Amino acid sequence: GQPSNVLSGISCVSASSCIAVGYSLSPQDTTSALAALWNGVSWSESEPPVENSSGSELSSVYCWSGDDCMAVGSYRNAGGARVPLIERWRVATGEVGWFQEATTDPPGTAVSTLTSVSCFTLDFCAAVGSFENSSNVFVPLAERWDGTIWKLGVAAAPKSMSGYLDAVSCAGTSSCQAVGYSGPNAVGYSALAESWNGTKWSLVTMPSHTGSSGTFPNGIACRTQVSCVAVGYWSSSAGLRVATESWNGTTWHTVSAPDVRGAQDDVLNGVSCSSTSVCAAAGYEGPSNTAAATLGERSNGSIWTITPTPNR
């Protein structure tokens, strides 16, 4: 049979320069990292090399320019452990193509992965994800690029429960916000947020939606240090509902966003903001994830509205 191809993240620097990343799944259920390059006219396929891997995936990419990008994900190494994968796309003298970056794996784990990357300068990137620690508990993972090497950081872990970071956005070398979820706890799963101040990651209170048995922010965009938007979904008795939250530099607060009337599930997976008052988010609406239609919403800085999106 034919392989299945999935693209999970994209970064564009102009109308004629984009890179999307993901993975290809073979008929033998083996994954391999995949990238697609847009030149303004057509897409071309590119396969980032991964040393000694029996399965690799890329989930997020950030491009400084069409000639310089950083992508993150995970791969299964020769010992069978799933570990962070970082690839750099370079078009420069002596360097053309994808190059695997060296990483430091979290200690005492057989499972670790990076889900999102954001860069502010050529000398600063932050990547987040999760790993299983020596106590078999999944906790947040953070790594940092200093322009030369990737360094393993220490992300703050929620007490007495697992924690996963799904998305990160940086508005400065000392200002990054990351979101995900933690749990289970007494009500299910709660929204998780962390803030980077240039020295360390710290837990930040992120409210869960009232009546929710789980709040899962999985996309974030920061235009400034005092203006971020996070999107995702929360669980209600009637299905999944759109979740949107806003950061003012000090606190997160929930923002009302419309759901599609009659749909069983409404989920936002990603968000992009061109200014502090113009954001667009995309995802899907039910009746289920296997029979879904595209969902788009737009914010003017205070109010979210549903926008028409194409469906095949």
Side-chain angles (χ1 to χ4, degrees):
Q2 294 293 317
S4 299
N5 298 316
V6 176
L7 294 174
S8 305
I10 189 171
S11 181
C12 297
V13 295
S14 71
S16 59
S17 181
C18 299
I19 288 185
V21 299
Y23 64 89
S24 178
L25 178 65
S26 73
Q28 294 75 37
D29 291 331
T30 299
T31 59
S32 56
L34 175 67
L37 315 177
W38 171 256
N39 62 9
V41 178
S42 62
W43 289 94
S44 60
E45 183 179 325
S46 174
E47 186 173 332
V50 185
E51 295 182 2
N52 301 319
S53 171
S54 59
S56 58
E57 303 175 12
L58 290 172
S59 56
S60 177
V61 60
Y62 183 96
C63 293
W64 295 281
S65 70
D67 296 336
D68 202 350
C69 303
M70 200 76 78
V72 303
S74 66
Y75 73 102
R76 197 170 296 282
N77 64 18
R82 180 154 291 280
V83 296
L85 171 64
I86 302 179
E87 299 269 356
R88 189 172 187 181
W89 169 259
R90 292 275 284 169
V91 180
T93 302
E95 292 183 316
V96 178
W98 289 99
F99 300 87
Q100 185 175 349
E101 293 284 337
T103 62
T104 302
D105 301 332
T109 180
V111 181
S112 54
T113 183
L114 294 171
T115 55
S116 181
V117 61
S118 179
C119 304
F120 188 72
T121 67
L122 284 169
D123 298 328
F124 180 83
C125 297
V128 300
S130 61
F131 73 96
E132 187 180 22
N133 63 20
S134 57
S135 300
N136 302 119
V137 176
F138 277 91
V139 294
L141 170 64
E143 302 209 14
R144 189 173 77 257
W145 169 255
D146 66 2
T148 304
I149 61 172
W150 281 92
K151 300 177 179 179
L152 186 64
V154 178
K159 293 182 179 180
S160 305
M161 67 184 77
S162 296
Y164 308 80
L165 291 176
D166 289 330
V168 63
S169 183
C170 297
T173 58
S174 59
S175 180
C176 300
Q177 307 301 323
V179 295
Y181 66 96
S182 63
N185 52 31
V187 297
Y189 291 86
S190 300
L192 173 65
E194 302 207 14
S195 183
W196 167 258
N197 65 3
T199 303
K200 65 178 182 178
W201 287 96
S202 302
L203 292 173
V204 179
T205 299
M206 191 177 211
S208 294
H209 283 252
T210 303
S212 170
S213 60
T215 300
F216 305 89
N218 52 22
I220 186 173
C222 294
R223 288 299 301 178
T224 69
Q225 297 181 16
V226 296
S227 178
C228 301
V229 172
V231 303
Y233 63 94
W234 61 279
S235 299
S236 75
S237 58
L240 306 181
R241 293 291 177 256
V242 166
T244 56
E245 306 215 11
S246 179
W247 169 259
N248 62 11
T250 305
T251 59
W252 284 98
H253 62 273
T254 57
V255 179
S256 177
D259 294 299
V260 180
R261 184 171 297 177
Q264 178 179 336
D265 293 331
D266 293 310
V267 172
L268 292 175
N269 289 321
V271 62
S272 180
C273 299
S274 59
S275 72
T276 56
S277 59
V278 178
C279 295
Y284 71 87
E285 52 99 356
S288 70
N289 197 15
T290 56
T294 58
L295 171 62
E297 301 209 11
R298 178 181 174 89
S299 171
N300 64 3
S302 57
I303 299 174
W304 285 91
T305 56
I306 295 174
T307 57
T309 52
N311 283 283
R312 284 189 170 183

